[in-house]
Amino acid sequence: MDKVKKIFGGDTRQLGMIFALVALIIFFQIWTAGLTLTPDNVINIFQQNSYILVLAIGMVLVIIAGHIDLSVGSVAAFVGISVAIAMRDWGLSWWMGILFGLALGALVGAWQGLWTAYVGIPAFIVTLSGMLLFRGANQYVGKSNSVPVSDDFQVIGGGYLPEVGPDTGYNNLTVLIGLLLAAGVVYGSVRSRRALVKLGADVEEAWVMWTRIALICAAIIGATLLFGSGRPGTSFPIAGMILALLVLLYGFISNRTVIGRHIYAVGGNRHAAELSGVKSKKVNFLVMMNMSILAALAGMIFVARSTASGPADGVGWELDAIAAVFIGGAAVTGGVGTVVGSIVGGLVMAVLNNGLQLKGIGADATQMIKGLVLLVAVAFDVYNKSQGRASIIGLLTRNFRGGRPGGDDAPPPPSAAVETTPTSETIRQST
Amino acid sequence: MSTPSNSAPGSPSGDVPSGTSPTANVILEMRDITKEFPGVKALSNVSMVVRRGEVHAICGENGAGKSTLMKVLSGVYPAGTYDGEIHFEGQLSEFHNIRDSEHAGIVIIHQELALIPEMSIAENIFLGNETASGGVIDWMATRVKARELLARVGLEEEPDTKIREIGVGKQQLVEIAKALSKDVKLLILDEPTAALNEGDSQHLLDLISGLRSKGVTCIMISHKLNEIEQIADSITIIRDGKSIETLRVKEDGVDENRIIRGMVGRDLESRFPDHTPQLGEVFFEVKNWTVRHPSVPDRLVAKHSDFFVRRGEIVGFAGLMGAGRTELMRSLFGRSYGTYVEGTIVKDGREVKLRTVSDAIEAGLAYVTEDRKTLGLNLLDDIKRTTVSARLSRITRGFVVDEREEYNYAESYRKSLRTKAPNVDEGVAKLSGGNQQKVVLAKWLFTEPDLLILDEPTRGIDVGAKFEIYGIIQRMASEGKGVILVSSELPELIGLSDRIYTISEGAVTGVLDREQADQESLMRLMTRRTHGGSHATDAPRASA
C-alpha cells in the first residue's frame, strides 16, 4: 500500500476515488460480459456526460470558494434556447452562436456574482433565485417550444474527430493526440524531477516515477485505442476534446495562477486571506461568473448533441454536478477540492449510470444506488478525518471561543473545545 | 442524598442556624484549586474566601488565570477536571455544568454577552426558564415579571423591545435582570464595563452597589483599577495561576498602587537575546488617528492617537485587554478593522493613504495577527503556499505562479527561521504553535516590509520558541526595519522594546523609554483613565 501511495501521491481521498473508478469499470466489464469497455459504449459515456463534467469543473471552484450554485441547469437551458433562436432568427453562424452563448453566460454570471459577492447574499439564495429566474426565461424566450439547431452547430455536442491520413484501422487523429499526451506526461515528469534535483529538494525514487509514468501511459494508450477503433465515422468525441482542454486549463488555473491560489485562500480562511491582501469580493465574483460561463457552454454542448433546445433541458444538472464535486473530495466548508478529483467523481457516477443501464436496471433503482454512493463517498471522507488526521472543522471551531480578540484571559488550553459552551449553556439552562 | 438516620450529627446541610460560626459570613470558599490543561498549569492551589454580601474583585494580569478560576466555579470546567474543593453556602459543591451552579444560585455574566439580538428583552430574560404551563408560554405573566426585573435594574425599556435595538450598556443590564430572575445569590461579572462608556459604566457600578445592599454577593473581574478601588470590599490578586493575597479595601487602605504592586510583583528574568539598538531617523508617523467601532457607532476604538517609529527601532505597545491595541494596529493596516474617522499616516516623509490591505502591503507594512489560527493562517494550506501568500506577485510571471521560486523562498525562510518541519510541503495545521508562528513570520517577511507590526507574537508559544522569536524580532530591527510589538506580557515588552507606548481605552496615555520603563510605571499608565469618555462627539444615546 505504501508503494501504491508513493506512485499516486499521498492523497488517500483522491487515490480512493481513482481505485473506486477502476474497480467499478472492472466490475461492470465483468457483469455486462464485456459490454462496458467497447468503443461505442465508452464514446457514449463521454458524450452523455460531458456537459455534467464541464459543470463539475466550474462547480468545484465555486465549492472551494465556499459557495454553491443551484442555477447551472437553468442557466444552461436559458443560454441553449437563446443561442438556438439567435442562430435561427438572426442567422448567426455556428461560431458566432457559441460566442453569443458564452457572452450571455458571462452576463448571467455577472448578475449572480454581483448579488453574491458585492451585495453579500448567500450564493445558495442567489442561485436558487437564478434557478427559477432562468428556467422561466428559457420558457419565455422559447415560448416553451423546442428549437432545432443547424448541423454545423451540432458538431460540438455530437461530432467526432475527423478521419485523416492513411487507413490504419484506427482514427489517426485520436491516436496522434493519445501519443502526444503520453509523450507530454513523460516529458513533464522528467523535467519537473530534474528541476527539483537542481533545487536540492527531496525527490521520489526513480522507480516510483517510472512506474507511475508507465501506468499513466498505459491508461492513455489503452483509452486511445479504444476511442480510435470504433465504428468508422466515430472516434474521440469533440465534446470530450472540449472537456479535456478545460480540465487542463482549469487544473492549471487552480494550481498555478494567482486567482487559483486566491480561490483556495478565500475558501480556506476568508479572514486570513483578506488580511493577506486578497480581494475576496472580486474572487467570489469571478468564481460565480465563471460558473455561469461554463454552464452556458454545457448548455450549448447539450443542445448540439440533442439537435434541439427544449424547455426541460438541464433539469437536475446542478445536483449531478454538485454530487460529482463532493464524491471527488471537495469539502462542504470550502477550501478543499480539485478539478481532476471532480472529474473522477463525475466519471464514477457516469460509469455507474451506464453500467446499470446496460444491465437494464430501472431508473428508480439507479437513483437509489447513486444516492447511496454519494453518501458512502463522503462518509469515507469523514471517517478518514476522524482517524489520524485532525478534523479541519475541529481545528477551526477551537479558536472561535471568546469571539472578539482578547475575549478570554486564560492561557490557550489545547482542549478548549469545552469553552465554546458557556453561552449556549447559559441559554439552555434549566429546561 | 443521605438517609435520615445519619443526617443528624455534624451534617452541613441547610438547617445549621445562621450566625453560629464564622463560616456563616462566608458564602463561598475555594480551596486549593488546581487546573491543568495539557502542557499548561493554569491554576495551582488557588484559594479564596468570599464573604456574604460583599463585592469581591479579582485582579491579575492577562493570562493570570482569573477567567479559568471563574469557569471552574461556574461548572464550565466540570467537577473532576480540576483538583481542590468548592464550598458554597457551607456545602461542598460539585458542579458538573452551568445548570448545576445556577441551580445553587451562582450566575456568571460573561464578557461576551449571551443574549440573542433578534429576540425581545423579555424573551431573553426568561430564555430557558420560560414562564409556561404545559409548554405554552404565558406571555402576560412573562411581561409583567420582566417589567418588575427591569425596574430593579433601573432600565426603562419596554419588555418587547428587541435586544439589537438597545445599546450595549443596556444589554448588560438585561443580563443582570436575567440573573436576578434566577434568584441569584452570587453574581459573577467578567469585565462588565470593558465594552461600556463611562456613563454606562458608572450606572452599572451603582447598580452593583445597590444589589449589594439587597444582599446579593458579587465577584467582579476587572482591569479598571479605579472602578475596583471605588466599589470593591475585598480584592483577591492572582498572578501566574496562583492566589497571591486577599486585600480588604477599607481595613488595609488599599489604593491602585498597592493593587499594581500585587499584580506585577515578580522578577524580571534575563531571557532575551543580547541586542544593541541602532536607531535611524523617524520613518513612520501616525497623527491624530481616530477610528470608530465597526458596529457600535458611538464607541471610538482609537482616539486621536499619535505615535512614531524610527528605523531599526522596536516600539512596544502596552495595554490591558480591551484597551484597543489590536484595533489600532488593524485599522492602520489597510483599515481592516473599524470605520476610519480621521488621522494621517506619514511614511518616509510622505502622507500615505492605506485604504485596503493590499495598499498597506504595497506601502511596506506587515501585520502579524494575535489570532494565528483564525486570522493568520489557512490551516488547509502547506508551508510553501502560506509563505508566499501575502505577496504572490513576487513570484509570478503574468498570472502564473513560479513553483520553483515558491519552493526556493519557502525553503530559505524555513532554514533561516529554523522552522521545524520535515519539508515545506508539510501542512501548517500539523505544526506546533511556535513553528506555525514562524511560518506566519516568514509569510510577512516575504513581503519585504519596512514596518513589521507584531501583535502578541509569542502568545501560546513555549519558552524555547519564544527566545527564537525574540531573536528574529531583533534581527529585523538590526536590518533597519521598524518593529511595532504589541504584547500583554510586560516583561517581554520591557525586555525587547526601545520605547513603549501605553494605551488605555483607545487612547495613547504615555510613552516611556527603555530606561524609564518598569512594570509599575507601565501598569499605572495602562490603567489611566482617559477623560472625555468613550463617547464620540455625536453620541446618540444618553445613559439610562
Side-chain angles (χ1 to χ4, degrees), chain A residues 16-46:
Chain A
M17 257 9 269
I18 290 174
F19 273 107
L21 179 60
V22 172
L24 206 61
I25 292 173
I26 293 172
F27 171 74
F28 279 116
Q29 175 73 355
I30 295 169
W31 199 30
T32 60
L35 285 178
T36 301
L37 286 181
T38 62
D40 282 353
N41 191 51
V42 173
I43 289 169
N44 198 18
I45 290 178
F46 263 75

Side-chain angles (χ1 to χ4, degrees), chain B residues 119-255:
Chain B
M119 291 173 79
S120 73
I121 292 175
E123 283 172 301
N124 268 289
I125 289 177
F126 293 103
L127 189 61
N129 192 18
E130 286 85 0
T131 311
S133 58
V136 180
I137 294 175
D138 182 347
W139 287 112
M140 284 298 281
T142 300
R143 280 196 203 95
V144 170
K145 281 207 243 168
R147 205 163 270 139
E148 274 170 29
L149 288 165
L150 292 179
R152 279 180 71 189
V153 299
L155 180 58
E156 290 163 12
E157 288 284 349
E158 279 303 307
D160 289 334
T161 310
K162 283 188 178 168
I163 289 295
R164 65 171 164 76
E165 291 168 5
I166 61 177
V168 67
K170 292 182 178 179
Q171 290 178 7
Q172 189 70 265
L173 297 179
V174 173
E175 277 276 17
I176 293 176
K178 185 174 170 181
L180 293 179
S181 78
K182 294 170 191 162
D183 291 327
V184 59
K185 291 175 188 147
L186 175 63
L187 181 63
I188 305 168
L189 298 145
D190 190 354
E191 295 279 356
T193 59
L196 305 188
N197 61 34
E198 273 182 44
D200 287 346
S201 297
Q202 194 52 51
H203 183 78
L204 187 72
L205 296 178
D206 293 345
L207 176 64
I208 292 171
S209 14
L211 290 175
R212 168 172 56 191
S213 62
K214 287 176 189 135
V216 177
T217 312
C218 278
I219 293 179
M220 181 169 137
I221 296 177
S222 179
H223 280 308
K224 297 187 181 170
L225 300 185
N226 55 319
E227 291 179 356
I228 289 175
E229 198 188 339
Q230 178 192 338
I231 195 170
D233 302 299
S234 312
I235 301 169
T236 293
I237 291 177
I238 296 187
R239 188 167 74 215
D240 297 334
K242 301 185 185 74
S243 45
I244 301 300
E245 55 189 341
T246 295
L247 306 169
R248 304 280 168 216
V249 176
K250 289 209 182 68
E251 292 90 320
D252 299 351
V254 172
D255 62 3

Side-chain angles (χ1 to χ4, degrees), chain A residues 199 201 256-258 261 269 272 274-277 279 392 399 402 405-406 408-410 413 419 422 427 429-430, chain B residues 37 63 66-68 71 77 99 102 112 127-128 321 357-358 370 374-375 377 399 401 403 406-408 443-444:
Chain A
L199 291 173
R256 293 289 305 276
T257 63
V258 175
R261 290 292 174 88
N269 185 342
E274 283 172 356
L275 276 178
S276 304
K279 299 198 163 63
I392 289 146
N399 285 284
D408 186 355
D409 73 351
E419 298 191 26
I427 291 160
Q429 48 72 47
S430 61
Chain B
F37 297 109
K66 306 180 296 279
S67 290
T68 310
K71 283 176 180 165
Y77 300 134
R99 277 176 62 183
E102 287 193 349
E112 297 297 318
L127 189 61
M321 194 117 9
V357 171
S358 22
E370 58 168 353
T374 52
L375 298 176
L377 286 171
F399 288 105
V401 177
E403 288 186 321
E406 172 179 72
Y407 184 90
N408 279 342
K443 161 176 159 182
W444 288 107

